[in-house]
Amino acid sequence: MSTLPLQDPSSLPIPDGQPSTKRQAAFLRDAVYRFPARYRVVWLALVFIIILCLVAAPAAFHTDSIRFILAIAGVLAIASTGQLLVVMLGGIDLSVPAIMTFAGAIVVHQSESQNGKLVEAIVVAIVIALVIGLVNGLLVAVVKLNALIVTLAMAGVVFGVSLLWVGSNYSSTGTVPETLGDFANSNLGPISIIAFIGIGVIVIIALLLRSTRTGRSYVASGTNPAAARVIGIRVIAYEVGGYVAAAGLYAIAGILLAGLLRNPNETLGAPYQLQTIIAVALAGAALGGGPASVVGTWVACLFLGFVTQFLTLKGYSGGVSELVNGALLLIAVMLVTVGSRVRSAVRFLHRRTNAASREAPSASSP
Amino acid sequence: MSASDEVALDLEGVSKTFLGVRALTDAGIVCRRGEVHALVGENGAGKSTLIKVASGALLPDSGTVHIGGVRLEHASPVTARRLGLLTAYQDTSLVTSMTVAENMVLSEYGVRRMGIRLRRESAAKILAPFDLPFGPGELVSSLSPASRQLLEVARAMAHHPKVLLLDEPTAALDAENIQRLEALIASSLDEGAAILYISHRLDEVQRIAARLTVIRDGKIQGTYGRGEWSTDDSTAVDDIVALMVGARTDLAFPAKPGIPDDAPEVLRATEFRGPRFGPVNLHVKAGEIVGIAGADGNGQRQLVRSLVGLLHGAGEVEVAGKIADIHSPAAAIANGITFVSGDRVAESAFRDLSVMENSTISLGQELGPVGLVMRTRQRRLFRDAATSLSTVFASPDQPMAQLSGGNQQKAVLSRAILRPTPLLVVDEPTQGVDARARLEIYRALRRQADDGAAIIVNSSESSELEGLCDRVYVFSRGTVVKELTGDGVHESAIVDAFVNVKREPTSSEIAAEQETSFAASHPIRRMARSPWTPMLFVVLLTLLLAVYTATRSDVFFGSSNLSSLFVLMLPLAAVAFGQQFALLTAGFDISVGSAMSLVVVVASFWVTSDGFGSVLIGIIGCLFVGVTIGLLNGFIVRVIGINAIVATIATFGMIHGVAILLRPAPDGAVSFGLTETLNTQIGFMPIALIVIVGFAIAAEIWMRATTSGLRWRAAGLDEEASRRTGLPVQRIKISAYVMCSLLAAVAGLLLAVQVGVGDNNVGAGFALPSFTACFLGGAALTGGRGSFIGVMIGALFLSLLTNAVPLVDLPVATIQVATGVLTIVAVIAYAYSGKGNLDGRRKRPRPGGPQAGTAEPRESLEARIKSQQSPADIGQGA
């Protein structure tokens, strides 16, 4: 990665009918550009933590442990995809725990812990989450307020409203309907059903962003809103849409987590504030907005699942886990910030040496 | 006469390269005491780079700068100012949200005292000799552009500089003000200053300059004494113009085929006017390339932007015979107008997206059915466009940021080629583009025209317009002063037209000025912008709540309830004061909640005995913890350069982690004598209240009436202007983080007294209210605003809410809802009252997001190249 291909006309896209080796080389080169270093870091991190667990905490690979890791990673992945949508727009969402907790609470409250009312309760929870997201989006995109302040304040409002509406017990028993609990706790072999849902969400969002014009316009709006506006993209609509979709994803994550725990309480979403931001940062998203790897987000969630399980198995307290999480966020952001600065310096030097060697007679070959 | 020969400024062999682009090559210039030395050159010739090197804003790659015989060792504005070199910038270094007097005081830093206390009076005294058409108490944002420029110059002169750099000082001035400026220059010369005068208007230079240096393409073309070019000799002027323009470039422009008379008219704009331009009448035929020329900043940019829906113009615009309503870029496209911005970084390139993505982003159905993007189709379309433009890249998936400027520009232009519209508007088609790519861009534009498109090209390069355009409108002061057609389209004719223009303010300028003064004097606007308005609002709210609560509850006005209210308010007030320091400098700290928790935990170890000595040491230890957190935050945000929001979210987690490690469960007992002290009363006033009010008043006085408070505000309001004025911006901003965490530590101690036990999560709930209190007091995330007394009242209101809600039998959760709603309302209220701001900047509160600036001066080439140099895949510079 440190050496960039020389930019000369011979490296133009290869027309059809060329020898296959050349075409393979071109394919490889494209792949390198499509998955730059910042997207690859998280895979390395995952390999590292798996090796660490194999060596130091093999208990992490027991079936129950794997199921737990995958279930937690699935919930985190769904919520993190929402956070990713917001971060791609250059925003940040601090209402994740509030919406997740609220959604879980509504499901318990509206269904009164009965299976018969489950569907209705889920619909209510998701619709309310979408409305919260709409308010966030309108305040950020139309009124042009700071995303952080809006979502932080909204988190307070949602927590308050939640207490006023559903109380702190949610229903007489305080448990989710059995159907939801059983569903969320079911596994296919060693893999939690939640992990499959997480993968499904990731695949859908990744395809939307990569292979539809709406998705490409969404990415463009986040990368450079002014330029997107110039070419006629309705940036504000995409911004509002992003916050709405994100809130919907938080709600789904919250409902599944409530099912997994069966007895949700007001701390349900608490860890997901920092963790979703870490997952997004680890996946190589630039926190000022722009393209990001959705698949990388899943990998980051898996990584965080292993980290949490490792720390638990090693008997570290919650303090260590908070400390590790905070440090991970800083490191991830530094890798993107400082790393790209270093890379652009290297690139600059590289170009200069190239220019110098080209001036030297017959010293260079493409 | 020997004194006048003394060299005051000496630049020798200065070279500067930006990412491979040579901005200055071995440039040297010598300015002597008591004379005006003019530096002339075309747009982008290297004038501003030379100024930045001389004023210490830029470190040259090689070469030396001597000011008054002393070598400028460190490139920093304040060092140059200490040596006696002052600069008046074209786009000024004034903080527009401050008054004239305050700006005068800011300029004192590190240079010379002008008096602290009675600022307005002393500023008036200092400004009196300059005879300026405005008073020291006026806001700079309410001044006309001309007045701002005069102030910028007068402010520099007030320091009695040895060397004075004037960068295009007359660009915004009318005839009367130019006379005023020339009088100022004369008086400064009498004091023995050396003046380096940058201009492209030769008539002024002829009047005042003793010497003249011509610069072109970063190289000095020669220096001439007054005798060598007399004022009346018009051939001499032609020679200077020839030197500025240089030898004819031998670029082979595509042939101009000529436009048939019966070609249909694609654009007709009648009586078209808008910000800083008009009224103008324009028309463009199919197949015609029409240029817009003029010196930078004469309304061309505004005209172009109004045509494409980025600014609002008035008048009639017809596209292909139909009246077009262009209220937004999307509407412009719907009406058949495509725009290619010249500001690649800000407005056209998606730097983190691939070249292919950048080229095909505007395409619709061509890419695939039902909104799909099919990669094979995308590649094929992209390849066609890339081949026709000879775009060079390593892979279609290569990020835009890695391409050269020329190839980026080609990718941007591909959009217009892949999706042609009747009218194509191109702003600065070849800025930062190498010679070969230029030709290919010119050819592509000509091909588009041959295919029937009408094209408007705005360019600051006259040679480019000569080679490319069938017809050229020359702009000056917002109107067309000349229309060149056919063989008349010549570089020298274009330059001549705007160099030798008679200056009289146009009607649009006069209108703009009148509007400005109207807006400034409008009482409602003025009230909306006053710092006391939000406070008044909160006071009313507080009283209302207090009265309502008193009617519903008997105990509310009881002295024990009031006393406990004030004690409860202490931690919140302290942490909100801290947050206000951060917000004042446009900083941001969400980690205060964790910092408070950590201090509570630390206090449960260190502040446990009642012995005065050990308690004192414990308290000092806690404060030290606060300072350390502040330094950590300041380091991460300002030195490493990570966005404040993310950085403090991360430290929030880490600090909380440490707190949990120290006290996994609530334990330990905090005890010190303060508990009783805080609850005692003097008269009916609890001590707590006196402490808070005292601090608020002291901090308010510091902020509003001392120079250091002024500097902090300036650093928050406008970082770039502050840096140009020589303020230690970095030090101020890091200090603000330290101050914030230190006060969070104080808040933690006060909280520890209340909870009495080491609880690791007790401060978490304070993060949001700390912001709410500040916003209620009128603070803004963009920095420089707010009030400590306002913060205090905000904190009082929030505490009152906490106190009153149970008393009136409302559920406790109401507090959270109310706090959240109030935060948003306060921020919205501020955003709207702030819209009265006249500096025309709509700062988008998004980290590093490009500003959709309307009337801002265009970024210089250097600045743009520098911004390209900065990390490609993050957008969080600020």
Side-chain angles (χ1 to χ4, degrees):
Chain A
M1 191 49 204
S2 66
T3 59
L4 284 166
L6 280 175
Q7 296 167 6
D8 58 43
S10 67
S11 59
L12 278 168
I14 316 293
D16 300 331
Q18 290 275 332
S20 63
T21 47
K22 263 199 164 180
R23 224 192 284 173
Q24 274 168 8
F27 181 79
L28 208 68
R29 192 162 48 212
D30 292 357
V32 167
Y33 281 115
R34 288 171 82 185
F35 303 106
R38 65 190 173 107
Y39 291 169
R40 283 180 254 146
V41 170
V42 68
W43 293 88
L44 286 179
L46 180 64
V47 170
F48 170 77
I49 191 73
I50 287 177
I51 292 173
L52 187 69
C53 283
L54 278 173
V55 174
F61 294 96
H62 290 167
T63 311
D64 279 352
S65 166
I66 285 290
R67 281 175 178 167
F68 174 74
I69 291 174
L70 288 177
I72 289 298
V75 170
L76 181 58
I78 298 167
S80 300
T81 311
Q83 184 74 265
L84 183 74
L85 286 176
V86 172
V87 167
M88 283 174 86
L89 295 171
I92 197 158
D93 200 333
L94 295 192
S95 60
V96 181
I99 296 178
M100 283 178 70
T101 311
F102 197 27
I106 291 172
V107 165
V108 176
H109 183 79
Q110 286 300 105
S111 66
E112 292 159 2
S113 307
Q114 295 162 21
N115 288 333
K117 295 184 180 172
L118 178 61
V119 176
E120 176 207 322
I122 289 178
V123 170
V124 170
I126 291 181
V127 167
I128 288 175
L130 294 179
V131 170
I132 297 170
L134 181 67
V135 175
N136 276 341
L138 289 175
L139 287 172
V140 172
V142 180
V143 190
K144 308 248 180 267
L145 302 183
N146 181 285
L148 178 118
I149 291 300
V150 167
T151 54
L152 186 63
M154 191 55 78
V157 174
V158 171
F159 264 124
V161 168
S162 166
L163 276 174
L164 292 178
W165 182 23
V166 298
S168 49
N169 290 327
Y170 308 158
S171 77
S172 52
T173 60
T175 55
V176 297
E178 225 164 275
T179 325
L180 177 62
D182 293 345
F183 173 74
N185 282 290
S186 59
N187 299 288
L188 289 172
I191 299 170
S192 160
I193 193 81
I194 296 179
F196 285 108
I197 298 175
I199 291 171
V201 165
I202 292 270
V203 167
I204 291 169
I205 299 286
L207 283 179
L208 271 177
L209 289 179
R210 189 179 295 177
S211 301
T212 67
R213 293 201 284 280
T214 312
R216 296 321 297 168
S217 299
Y218 187 89
V219 176
S221 303
T223 310
N224 188 344
R229 196 167 106 86
V230 164
I231 57 176
I233 292 174
R234 307 185 58 172
V235 178
I236 290 180
Y238 282 110
E239 286 187 344
V240 176
Y243 280 90
V244 173
L249 289 169
Y250 306 149
I252 294 173
I255 293 166
L256 288 172
L257 184 59
L260 191 68
L261 300 175
R262 289 185 197 263
N263 256 318
N265 63 15
E266 74 277 359
T267 62
L268 172 107
Y272 291 86
Q273 186 57 74
L274 197 53
Q275 295 230 331
T276 51
I277 298 175
I278 299 169
V280 166
L282 273 176
L287 287 147
S293 163
V294 184
V295 178
T297 308
W298 220 118
V299 179
C301 294
L302 213 49
F303 166 77
L304 287 172
F306 270 104
V307 170
T308 311
Q309 185 71 337
F310 175 79
L311 293 175
T312 316
L313 289 173
K314 286 274 136 190
Y316 288 115
S317 73
V320 175
S321 134
E322 289 258 356
L323 199 61
V324 168
N325 279 335
L328 277 175
L329 176 56
L330 268 190
I331 293 168
V333 177
M334 266 190 238
L335 280 178
V336 176
T337 313
V338 184
S340 64
R341 232 176 259 167
V342 171
R343 252 178 288 140
S344 67
V346 168
R347 197 178 300 143
F348 175 53
L349 289 175
H350 184 74
R351 210 174 280 163
R352 287 188 69 165
T353 38
N354 270 343
S357 64
R358 262 201 296 274
E359 276 165 27
S362 72
S364 68
S365 59
Chain B
M1 279 308 282
S2 65
S4 73
D5 288 336
E6 194 187 314
V7 173
L9 173 68
D10 186 3
L11 269 74
E12 262 184 73
V14 174
S15 297
K16 180 75 195 171
T17 309
F18 295 103
L19 256 191
V21 178
R22 292 210 145 216
L24 281 180
T25 311
D26 197 24
I29 198 164
V30 174
C31 297
R32 290 164 214 283
R33 278 175 58 105
E35 68 176 38
V36 173
H37 191 135
L39 178 66
V40 298
E42 271 198 297
N43 301 326
K47 290 173 295 185
S48 52
T49 311
L50 194 72
I51 291 179
K52 281 184 187 150
V53 169
S55 63
L58 209 60
L59 184 70
D61 298 338
S62 62
T64 56
V65 178
H66 284 88
I67 298 167
V70 186
R71 181 163 174 191
L72 183 66
E73 297 280 0
H74 310 287
S76 83
V78 74
T79 339
R81 290 163 74 89
R82 284 206 179 111
L83 291 175
L85 180 142
L86 274 286
T87 310
Y89 290 91
Q90 182 183 9
D91 46 353
T92 78
S93 53
L94 303 168
V95 179
T96 52
S97 321
M98 289 186 161
T99 65
V100 173
E102 287 172 328
N103 270 288
M104 295 300 292
V105 178
L106 278 183
S107 184
E108 275 176 5
Y109 180 80
V111 188
R112 191 191 284 250
R113 292 241 156 249
M114 296 192 295
I116 313 171
R117 282 287 146 177
L118 303 164
R119 271 194 241 134
R120 190 175 289 199
E121 287 74 5
S122 60
K125 210 157 62 191
I126 290 159
L127 286 176
F130 297 103
D131 184 29
L132 297 172
F134 48 83
E138 284 184 55
L139 273 179
V140 172
S141 59
S142 70
L143 302 181
S144 68
S147 296
R148 290 186 208 182
Q149 191 66 58
L150 285 177
L151 175 60
E152 174 84 0
V153 173
R155 184 168 81 154
M157 285 180 176
H159 291 282
H160 308 288
K162 285 187 199 146
V163 186
L164 182 60
L165 302 188
L166 300 177
D167 183 9
E168 302 271 6
T170 57
L173 300 190
D174 57 20
E176 189 196 339
N177 279 317
I178 285 176
Q179 276 179 12
R180 209 177 236 146
L181 178 81
E182 284 173 7
L184 292 184
I185 289 174
S187 72
S188 197
L189 287 179
D190 289 343
E191 289 180 16
I195 297 180
L196 184 59
Y197 187 96
I198 290 86
S199 182
H200 58 250
R201 295 188 196 273
L202 289 181
D203 56 335
E204 289 157 23
V205 171
Q206 282 177 329
R207 277 201 301 275
I208 60 173
R211 243 172 264 273
L212 171 140
T213 294
V214 180
I215 185 169
R216 172 163 48 87
D217 299 334
K219 294 183 190 115
I220 301 293
Q221 303 297 313
T223 299
Y224 305 90
R226 195 171 188 84
E228 293 170 71
W229 54 291
S230 79
T231 39
D232 302 322
D233 187 354
S234 66
T235 58
V237 173
D238 290 344
D239 290 346
I240 300 292
V241 170
L243 270 176
M244 285 165 67
V245 168
R248 290 198 48 79
T249 39
D250 42 2
L251 280 176
F253 283 95
K256 303 178 188 174
I259 312 302
D261 286 340
D262 60 343
E265 204 162 70
V266 173
L267 173 79
R268 171 166 286 276
T270 320
E271 291 289 301
F272 193 52
R273 62 197 172 275
R276 295 194 187 197
F277 78 88
V280 292
N281 294 309
L282 308 171
H283 61 96
V284 187
K285 286 179 174 174
E288 192 179 26
I289 301 182
V290 172
I292 308 280
D296 279 348
N298 276 283
Q300 309 98 300
R301 179 175 154 82
Q302 284 75 14
L303 165 80
V304 164
R305 299 179 79 78
S306 301
L307 269 181
V308 300
L310 283 166
L311 289 176
H312 291 289
E316 209 175 87
V317 178
E318 282 175 52
V319 180
K322 273 184 287 185
I323 299 225
D325 172 27
I326 319 166
H327 56 272
S328 71
I333 292 168
N335 280 302
I337 305 172
T338 305
F339 178 51
V340 176
S341 170
D343 197 342
R344 269 197 303 282
V345 170
E347 280 188 345
S348 62
F350 298 98
R351 295 171 53 76
D352 295 339
L353 299 186
S354 70
V355 213
M356 177 163 69
E357 205 65 60
N358 266 286
S359 308
T360 57
I361 188 82
S362 304
L363 287 173
Q365 287 297 325
E366 300 89 333
L367 288 174
V370 289
L372 288 178
V373 177
M374 298 172 73
R375 237 181 107 77
T376 44
R377 292 200 196 180
Q378 194 183 18
R379 277 186 91 117
R380 196 181 58 233
L381 285 160
F382 165 67
R383 207 184 291 155
D384 293 346
T387 315
S388 82
L389 277 162
S390 325
T391 318
V392 178
F393 51 88
S395 151
D397 293 306
Q398 194 175 17
M400 189 78 153
Q402 293 182 6
L403 297 188
S404 71
N407 286 313
Q408 286 189 24
Q409 187 68 4
K410 287 178 186 174
V412 169
L413 214 56
S414 305
R415 294 176 197 156
I417 289 168
L418 285 170
R419 205 161 216 215
T421 50
L423 179 64
L424 172 60
V425 181
V426 190
D427 189 21
E428 301 291 352
T430 60
Q431 201 149 63
V433 169
D434 58 284
R436 218 184 110 200
R438 273 170 184 242
L439 279 185
E440 279 145 7
I441 288 168
Y442 296 144
R443 277 194 216 123
L445 288 174
R446 181 50 77 182
R447 260 200 311 276
Q448 284 300 101
D450 291 345
D451 289 348
I455 300 179
I456 292 180
V457 175
N458 173 38
S459 172
S460 51
E461 265 181 70
S462 310
S463 59
E464 172 171 287
L465 293 175
E466 172 186 329
L468 187 61
C469 296
D470 301 301
R471 200 149 53 80
V472 171
Y473 292 110
V474 184
F475 267 68
S476 184
R477 327 223 125 228
T479 52
V480 176
V481 288
K482 198 150 201 171
E483 183 180 342
L484 304 167
T485 46
D487 294 338
V489 180
H490 261 290
E491 185 181 7
S492 50
I494 296 170
V495 174
D496 205 61
F498 67 76
V499 163
N500 291 315
V501 73
K502 290 268 180 292
R503 53 182 73 260
E504 263 169 43
T506 62
S507 56
S508 67
E509 270 181 338
I510 292 169
E513 211 148 309
Q514 279 168 348
E515 195 184 321
T516 309
S517 49
F518 163 75
S521 61
H522 200 283
I524 292 173
R525 284 259 177 96
R526 203 161 249 204
M527 207 181 79
R529 288 216 318 271
S530 154
W532 307 107
T533 309
M535 214 180 298
L536 205 68
F537 172 74
V538 184
V539 168
L540 278 177
L541 217 59
T542 312
L543 287 177
L544 222 65
L545 182 62
V547 169
Y548 175 75
T549 315
T551 59
R552 299 285 302 270
S553 156
D554 301 333
V555 289
F556 177 71
F557 270 123
S559 70
S560 72
N561 183 53
L562 282 188
S563 176
S564 73
L565 166 68
F566 293 129
V567 172
L568 273 175
M569 176 185 162
L570 271 175
L572 175 58
V575 70
F577 286 143
Q579 194 65 261
Q580 175 64 38
F581 277 104
L583 288 173
L584 193 63
T585 61
F588 186 95
D589 189 353
I590 203 170
S591 72
V592 287
S594 289
M596 282 175 72
S597 299
L598 180 61
V599 168
V600 171
V601 166
V602 170
S604 76
F605 287 104
W606 290 351
V607 191
T608 47
S609 76
D610 276 330
F612 181 75
S614 68
V615 165
L616 192 69
I617 292 171
I619 290 177
I620 290 172
C622 288
L623 298 181
F624 181 75
V625 169
V627 172
T628 312
I629 293 172
L631 285 173
L632 178 71
N633 280 334
F635 177 79
I636 296 172
V637 174
R638 297 300 307 180
V639 182
I640 300 186
I642 289 178
N643 162 311
I645 292 169
V646 182
T648 56
I649 286 177
T651 51
F652 181 94
M654 291 169 72
I655 297 164
H656 190 211
V658 174
I660 298 174
L661 276 181
L662 292 174
R663 285 267 185 235
D667 199 2
V670 185
S671 87
F672 57 104
L674 265 176
T675 320
E676 298 79 38
T677 323
L678 286 173
N679 280 317
T680 52
Q681 302 189 348
I682 299 179
F684 73 99
M685 298 261 281
I687 288 215
L689 184 65
I690 296 172
V691 172
I692 294 176
V693 173
F695 184 88
I697 292 175
E700 189 79 16
I701 290 174
W702 166 80
M703 185 180 88
R704 295 196 186 280
T706 70
T707 33
S708 94
L710 190 70
R711 282 181 205 135
W712 281 47
R713 275 195 287 149
L717 282 167
D718 193 336
E719 191 172 336
E720 176 59 26
S722 305
R723 194 170 288 138
R724 284 180 178 182
T725 316
L727 298 185
V729 176
Q730 189 75 335
R731 204 167 74 205
I732 289 174
K733 294 207 169 191
I734 292 176
S735 308
Y737 281 104
V738 172
M739 200 64 196
C740 179
S741 297
L742 181 64
L743 279 162
V746 172
L749 279 169
L750 295 166
L751 189 63
V753 175
Q754 286 169 20
V755 296
V757 64
D759 183 338
N760 64 38
N761 202 27
V762 71
F766 281 87
L768 175 62
S770 80
F771 287 109
T772 313
C774 291
F775 293 140
L776 285 174
L781 281 169
T782 44
R785 291 170 214 272
S787 133
F788 287 92
I789 293 177
V791 169
M792 177 187 70
I793 298 171
L796 173 67
F797 176 76
L798 292 176
S799 307
L800 185 64
L801 203 64
T802 315
N803 180 278
V805 162
L807 288 180
V808 298
D809 292 328
L810 279 172
V812 179
T814 318
I815 302 164
Q816 273 178 306
V817 178
T819 308
V821 171
L822 272 169
T823 312
I824 293 175
V825 169
V827 181
I828 294 179
Y830 184 81
Y832 277 86
S833 70
K835 282 213 170 134
N837 265 352
L838 294 160
D839 33 347
R841 284 175 206 208
R842 279 210 301 151
K843 273 193 189 158
R844 199 146 178 222
R846 160 187 282 196
Q851 288 174 18
T854 47
E856 274 177 289
R858 192 181 314 190
E859 241 187 317
S860 66
L861 175 65
E862 298 95 286
R864 237 177 287 167
I865 292 169
K866 259 192 287 176
S867 67
Q868 289 182 355
Q869 204 171 353
S870 69
D873 34 8
I874 50 142
Q876 52 197 43

